[in-house]
Amino acid sequence: MEQLRDLHEEWGHDNLKGLAFEEYLQQSGDQYVLHEHEVDIVSYVKKEIYLHRVSMMDPNETVKENDVADMLVCTQAILSDCDMLLIEAKWANLGLVEAVTDKLDTDAELEIYKDFEEFHRDLRGVSENQRKSTE
């Protein structure tokens, strides 16, 4: 990931996307064009999570195994259209999920929580509302 961070700093996010989605690039004259809507959604979300995470890394930061697991959780939350996601504060503060979901053409909204009590309170409220609507 540190090598990707260096590439991101040198070439920028869009050029790094070209590398990540190389199989979807189409040549148009002297340039290569990426039509993001043609990319498989699973591949797109997974790679975008990684690319955005790379762009948010501190210069001396190293990625730990649990960070990769957290990125996979974020990926699954986006792909499964869940409504609520409780994650570590560092992920919520970075806006990692929003960086990816903002680019998706969807009306689904994923609420990000970093506080368990707030998450639990809202989850109970949703549960109560669903129960009442089925009665």
Side-chain angles (χ1 to χ4, degrees):
M1 293 272 278
E2 292 80 20
Q3 291 173 331
L4 286 176
R5 180 189 58 222
D6 294 342
L7 287 172
H8 186 274
E9 286 178 12
E10 186 172 342
W11 297 100
H13 187 82
D14 287 340
N15 287 321
L16 197 55
K17 265 184 16 182
L19 178 64
F21 301 109
E22 185 176 7
E23 66 272 20
Y24 294 97
L25 289 178
Q26 297 173 358
Q27 192 165 4
S28 176
D30 297 5
Q31 297 181 336
Y32 286 91
V33 178
L34 174 64
H35 298 283
E36 294 179 36
H37 65 280
E38 295 176 358
V39 178
D40 170 68
I41 188 68
V42 174
S43 176
Y44 181 82
V45 171
K46 184 176 180 181
K47 289 179 181 181
E48 275 292 307
I49 285 283
Y50 281 90
L51 292 178
H52 280 287
R53 177 63 181 113
V54 163
S55 72
M56 299 170 179
M57 288 177 68
D58 291 330
N60 296 323
E61 183 179 1
T62 58
V63 176
K64 298 168 187 67
E65 288 178 18
N66 60 326
D67 292 338
V68 174
D70 290 341
M71 287 186 278
L72 289 172
V73 168
C74 292
T75 300
Q76 290 304 313
I78 294 168
L79 291 172
S80 65
D81 289 331
C82 74
D83 298 329
M84 304 168 74
L85 175 63
L86 175 65
I87 57 176
E88 288 182 59
K90 76 175 184 177
W91 300 108
N93 293 340
L94 285 174
L96 181 62
V97 171
E98 296 88 344
V100 176
T101 57
D102 287 348
K103 299 205 180 237
L104 297 177
D105 187 25
T106 180
D107 292 332
E109 191 165 323
L110 177 57
E111 189 73 29
I112 306 299
Y113 293 88
K114 57 185 173 183
D115 177 78
F116 179 78
E117 295 302 322
E118 180 184 2
F119 173 78
H120 188 253
R121 183 178 56 249
D122 288 356
L123 181 61
R124 285 180 39 176
V126 168
S127 179
E128 282 290 317
N129 289 339
Q130 287 177 346
R131 186 182 56 79
K132 288 178 182 177
S133 69
T134 59
E135 291 179 346

